[in-house]
């Protein structure tokens, strides 16, 4: 099978779109071509002029989660860098002044609670308001086209969940852009530079591409698989492995008896796509930094793993075992569990008011609805 050709790989063949334009580039460290050449170098070598850079959470270089990033200047090219995760999350008309074309090129992970997609939405709205054409250089959705989970309840919209998205939305960045244009009824010249050799059902290992770290805490494709549902732990005092070599694969806290926990989890979780073991670990930053946490390590056995149910079972098990020590709390953009889960039903499951089966049935109907609504926006077969 031929390796997937990214949108950024094809910019040299689309001079009619890019030549002579003053380009505003929305990107970060994940904006690299298939040879891992960064976007600024790729655009410069192709003879295109990038006049402004816009960066999402983590900035251009990878600041820690939730850190507000100041605007600056590119150290090599001298190009202004406008942070969209500091004083503001949406570019102003002044930020877009002097720009003929906005180009978006950021690697996403395919989950609703990942902030880059809200930077995309905000930039699309700003482009429509300022009448600036918008081009997405498309990239794979590492998790493929599977849609699952509930849709975001507008009552809980925030920067980690909004716009009626399904939890796992199954679209590439360009396809998601079409959804946003439709959702917000934008009057916008929206263009896509699609990938080649890409199928919608591809998981990352099938693309033939080197792993492109999309976030400081998504080190591997295995981390991405466990980010599905594992991100819910951000709303608790349980470490989700941030500050270790395996974020979202390890969960624990100083007060947990890991031997009792693993026995209970092996009784409750049976998934042929998932391995698990008891595990002690010491985060070097984030929750319980410098303290020994006792808990569990999960090992994805293949790309078909859907970690949502194991994550929910693990959270409920910990809550039941340690009701006096388990806490819900805020973290970065996460003000409460509903920010991540999208409605109150996850809380109801954890309280025993809904069974896991009832929760999954409810979510299944909502994900099927989202999948039907977004079929018209799909680019790949």
């Amino acid at each position: 099978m031929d390796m997937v050709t990214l949108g950024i790989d094809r910019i040299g063949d689309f001079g009619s779109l890019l030549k002579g334009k003053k380009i505003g580039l929305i990107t970060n460290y994940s904006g690299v071509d298939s040879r891992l050449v960064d976007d600024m170098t790729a655009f410069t070598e192709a003879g295109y002029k990038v006049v402004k850079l816009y960066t999402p959470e983590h900035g251009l270089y990878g600041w820690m989660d939730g850190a507000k990033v100041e605007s600056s200047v590119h150290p090599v090219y001298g190009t202004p860098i406008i942070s969209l995760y500091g004083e503001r999350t949406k570019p102003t008309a002044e930020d877009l002044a002097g720009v003929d074309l906005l180009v978006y090129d950021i690697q996403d992970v395919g989950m609703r609670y990942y902030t880059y997609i809200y930077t995309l939405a905000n930039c699309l709205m700003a482009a429509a308001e300022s009448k600036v054409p918008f081009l997405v250089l498309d990239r794979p959705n590492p998790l493929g086209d599977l849609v699952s989970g509930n849709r975001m309840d507008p009552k809980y919209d925030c920067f980690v969940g909004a716009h009626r998205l399904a939890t796992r939305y199954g679209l590439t960045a360009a396809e998601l852009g079409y959804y946003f244009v439709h959702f917000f009824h934008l009057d916008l010249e929206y263009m896509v530079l699609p990938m080649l050799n890409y199928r919608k059902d591809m998981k990352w290992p099938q693309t033939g591409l080197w792993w492109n770290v999309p976030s400081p805490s998504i080190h591997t494709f295995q981390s991405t698989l466990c980010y599905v549902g594992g991100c819910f732990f951000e709303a608790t005092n349980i470490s989700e492995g941030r500050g270790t070599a395996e974020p979202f694969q390890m969960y624990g806290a100083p007060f947990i008896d890991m031997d009792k926990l693993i026995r209970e989890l092996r009784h409750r979780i049976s998934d042929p796509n998932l391995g698990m073991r008891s595990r002690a670990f010491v985060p070097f930053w984030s929750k319980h930094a410098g303290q020994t946490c006792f808990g569990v390590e999960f090992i994805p056995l293949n790309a078909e793993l859907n970690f949502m149910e194991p994550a929910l079972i693990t959270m409920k098990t910990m809550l039941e075992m340690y009701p006096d020590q388990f806490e819900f709390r805020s973290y970065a953009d996460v003000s409460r569990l509903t920010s991540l889960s999208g409605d109150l039903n996850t809380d109801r499951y954890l309280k025993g008011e809904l069974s896991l089966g009832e929760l999954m049935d409810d979510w299944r109907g909502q994900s099927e609805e989202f999948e039907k609504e977004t079929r018209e926006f799909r680019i790949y077969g």
Side-chain angles (χ1 to χ4, degrees):
M1 182 181 295
D2 292 331
M3 185 175 76
V4 167
T5 300
L6 301 169
I8 182 64
D9 293 325
R10 306 182 65 201
I11 60 172
D13 299 326
F14 286 84
S16 59
L17 288 178
L18 299 163
K19 201 75 173 178
K21 300 288 177 62
K22 295 176 182 177
I23 297 167
L25 180 59
I26 308 157
T27 191
N28 66 358
Y29 44 83
S30 73
V32 293
D33 66 18
S34 58
R35 300 171 297 141
L36 303 186
V37 174
D38 69 274
D39 279 356
M40 277 297 294
T41 300
F43 271 80
T44 301
E45 289 181 349
Y48 304 135
K49 185 175 181 61
V50 176
V51 296
K52 292 183 182 180
L53 287 164
Y54 307 87
T55 59
E57 184 182 6
H58 311 300
L60 190 62
Y61 304 114
W63 287 79
M64 68 181 292
D65 305 287
K68 303 305 179 184
V69 182
E70 294 184 0
S71 297
S72 58
V73 175
H74 195 285
V76 175
Y77 297 99
T79 309
I81 302 173
I82 298 168
S83 173
L84 299 179
Y85 199 79
E87 295 180 357
R88 56 190 176 278
T89 57
K90 178 182 175 182
T92 64
E94 183 181 354
D95 293 333
L96 299 182
V99 171
D100 300 323
L101 174 69
L102 272 176
V103 178
Y104 181 92
D105 187 35
I106 299 176
Q107 179 60 55
D108 195 52
V109 300
M111 298 301 296
R112 178 183 66 211
Y113 35 67
Y114 211 60
T115 62
Y116 297 166
I117 59 176
Y118 303 104
T119 298
L120 171 61
N122 287 349
C123 287
L124 284 166
M125 288 187 278
E129 292 163 6
S130 293
K131 304 300 181 186
V132 177
F134 200 103
L135 172 67
V136 174
L137 308 182
D138 211 8
R139 292 181 172 273
N141 184 324
L143 298 172
D145 66 334
L146 175 67
V147 177
S148 65
N150 63 331
R151 302 187 71 173
M152 192 75 191
D153 186 328
K155 291 197 298 288
Y156 306 110
D157 276 6
C158 60
F159 206 60
V160 290
H163 315 324
R164 297 290 290 145
L165 290 173
T167 315
R168 180 170 172 173
Y169 53 80
L171 303 170
T172 67
E175 292 169 336
L176 187 60
Y178 278 120
Y179 171 77
F180 287 145
V181 170
H182 172 80
F183 184 83
F184 295 113
H185 308 288
L186 299 180
D187 181 9
L188 173 71
E189 185 181 353
Y190 179 75
M191 299 169 286
V192 171
L193 216 171
M195 294 175 281
L196 301 178
N197 306 318
Y198 183 74
R199 297 191 323 271
K200 65 179 183 177
D201 62 344
M202 278 182 167
K203 308 293 194 303
W204 188 274
Q206 297 171 293
T207 66
L209 296 164
W210 294 326
W211 178 247
N212 181 6
V213 176
S215 163
S217 291
I218 305 287
H219 300 169
T220 63
F221 177 63
Q222 287 69 31
S223 291
T224 308
L225 287 171
C226 291
Y227 189 62
V228 179
C231 186
F232 288 175
F233 280 87
E234 289 184 357
T236 76
N237 65 337
I238 304 296
S239 169
E240 65 277 5
R242 290 184 188 274
T244 75
E246 293 185 311
F248 302 105
Q249 290 183 245
M250 299 193 294
Y251 301 86
F255 55 80
I256 288 176
D257 183 324
M258 64 184 183
D259 296 318
K260 288 183 179 179
L261 175 65
I262 196 67
R263 284 197 297 269
E264 191 62 32
L265 291 179
R266 283 178 174 153
H267 176 69
R268 298 187 183 194
I269 298 173
S270 178
D271 190 328
N273 302 314
L274 185 67
M276 70 180 87
R277 55 166 285 194
S278 60
R279 180 66 187 266
F281 58 93
V282 181
F284 60 84
W285 66 274
S286 195
K287 300 173 195 170
H288 309 300
Q291 300 180 63
T292 303
C293 293
F294 303 95
V296 58
E297 176 186 6
F298 291 103
I299 301 94
L301 302 181
N302 58 61
E304 300 310 308
L305 171 67
N306 188 340
F307 191 63
M308 184 63 77
E309 289 191 30
L312 289 169
I313 292 169
T314 301
M315 183 178 288
K316 192 170 193 293
T317 301
M318 289 179 171
L319 178 59
E320 291 174 349
M321 291 178 67
Y322 301 98
D324 296 329
Q325 291 134 302
F326 189 106
E327 298 174 359
F328 290 97
R329 57 168 62 169
S330 299
Y331 175 83
D333 291 296
V334 180
S335 59
R336 52 188 172 180
L337 183 59
T338 47
S339 301
L340 297 169
S341 65
D343 60 25
L344 294 175
N345 280 346
T346 300
D347 299 77
R348 294 180 63 201
Y349 161 71
L350 294 173
K351 293 174 182 177
E353 297 172 3
L354 275 181
S355 70
L356 185 61
E358 289 171 325
L359 182 66
M360 293 298 106
D361 285 344
D362 175 58
W363 285 6
R364 192 172 299 112
Q366 294 186 55
S367 60
E368 288 173 357
E369 177 188 73
F370 183 81
E371 194 278 329
K372 289 177 183 177
E373 283 187 20
T374 55
R375 283 177 188 169
E376 64 179 299
F377 309 128
R378 291 197 178 275
I379 300 170
Y380 310 95

